[in-house]
Amino acid sequence: MTQYPGIALDETGDDIRDEGVDEARDEIVRVGTSLFARGYVHASAGNISARIGDSHLITPTDAALGFLEPHRLALVDARGEQIAGDRASKTLTLHRRIYAADPTARFVVHTHSTHLVALTLAGVWSQDDVLPPITPYYVMKVGHVPLIPYHRPGDPRVADLVTARIADHASTGTPIRAVLLDRLGPVVWGPDAATALAVLEELEETARLWLLTDRRPEPLPTHALDELRSTFAAAW
């Protein structure tokens, strides 16, 4: 039997004898199914990962997120070497770098959500904040979301840009939970699947609101933002 830290595989590499891995597999499949059913993902666009100790599970390259199979998810060790499942998504480097940059991150989701991609085509509010703080829940649940300039899917340079943004915001006391990749869509993360999904959903729906109103709404006034910071510890 092949041994990896905290994980036991049989000689075929198919039998993962680890409860944490099994739970993470089930959670990724559940999230993928939910996102597909509600129209947040389509075809084989997007990817999902989870951190289990020093290892990572990630959806395979070109996988349809609405039809994932648990045993086909790619299991990757602490060195980034794949040890089980189908070939890992080409965005594996980005996911691993996010986990390294933000110790609280345990779950990462990347989608090509329609309104957020449309926002990059129509023009974001600013490079540092793709949307203005137009609703209290956007401020509370999402926070600042910078735009990452376009690079081809899977380009490792994107990881450098994203981790630099994470570090910049952490240094100012306004940690970020998401970035928006130009023409490709959002990447969001959190301590668990539920938190990451809440960020994604609020981000996509706020983009839809702003586009539906022809990008006319003014941001919340300064006193309202101050109140959200003091009352709910909003990272804005």
Side-chain angles (χ1 to χ4, degrees):
M1 180 180 292
T2 306
Q3 296 290 331
Y4 295 89
I7 299 170
L9 312 181
D10 67 12
E11 60 277 3
T12 69
D14 292 330
D15 182 18
I16 310 299
R17 300 178 182 179
D18 182 89
E19 185 177 348
V21 173
D22 290 340
E23 290 178 355
R25 280 173 161 171
D26 292 342
E27 190 76 320
I28 288 174
V29 171
R30 183 188 68 79
V31 168
T33 301
S34 174
L35 290 172
F36 177 80
R38 294 181 295 138
Y40 286 97
V41 298
H42 59 276
S44 59
N47 34 78
I48 305 170
S49 72
R51 180 167 65 180
I52 313 103
D54 293 332
S55 303
H56 304 89
L57 270 174
I58 190 167
T59 49
T61 187
D62 295 327
L65 298 189
F67 303 93
L68 296 171
E69 299 176 69
H71 70 282
R72 299 184 68 175
L73 298 179
L75 180 63
V76 180
D77 68 14
R79 296 166 296 181
E81 296 179 4
Q82 187 163 336
I83 54 180
D86 291 353
R87 184 161 61 93
S89 167
K90 53 186 168 289
T91 61
L92 172 63
T93 297
L94 174 58
H95 286 244
R96 293 183 69 238
R97 292 283 300 279
I98 289 172
Y99 289 123
D102 184 346
T104 69
R106 312 294 295 186
F107 205 87
V108 176
V109 181
H110 168 50
T111 73
H112 296 192
S113 303
T114 302
H115 294 93
L116 285 164
V117 175
L119 177 65
T120 71
L121 300 175
V124 298
W125 189 50
S126 77
Q127 300 294 303
D128 294 325
D129 281 298
V130 298
L131 287 162
I134 56 175
T135 70
Y137 273 86
Y138 181 75
V139 174
M140 294 158 56
K141 299 295 185 182
V142 181
H144 297 288
V145 180
L147 180 70
I148 303 301
Y150 177 79
H151 291 73
R152 66 161 174 80
D155 190 324
R157 290 176 293 179
V158 172
D160 293 333
L161 296 172
V162 172
T163 54
R165 287 292 198 160
I166 293 172
D168 288 346
H169 278 274
S171 69
T172 63
T174 56
I176 58 173
R177 308 176 181 96
V179 296
L180 183 57
L181 308 184
D182 189 20
R183 297 176 183 259
L184 287 172
V187 181
V188 307
W189 57 90
D192 49 51
T195 304
L197 277 179
V199 174
L200 173 66
E201 292 163 12
E202 195 68 37
L203 179 56
E204 168 68 4
E205 293 308 309
T206 305
R208 186 165 76 97
L209 284 172
W210 205 47
L211 292 170
L212 283 172
T213 53
D214 295 325
R215 299 187 291 173
R216 289 195 306 267
E218 292 293 323
L220 288 167
T222 300
H223 71 83
L225 295 174
D226 288 341
E227 185 180 29
L228 293 172
R229 292 189 194 99
S230 61
T231 305
F232 301 107
W236 191 276

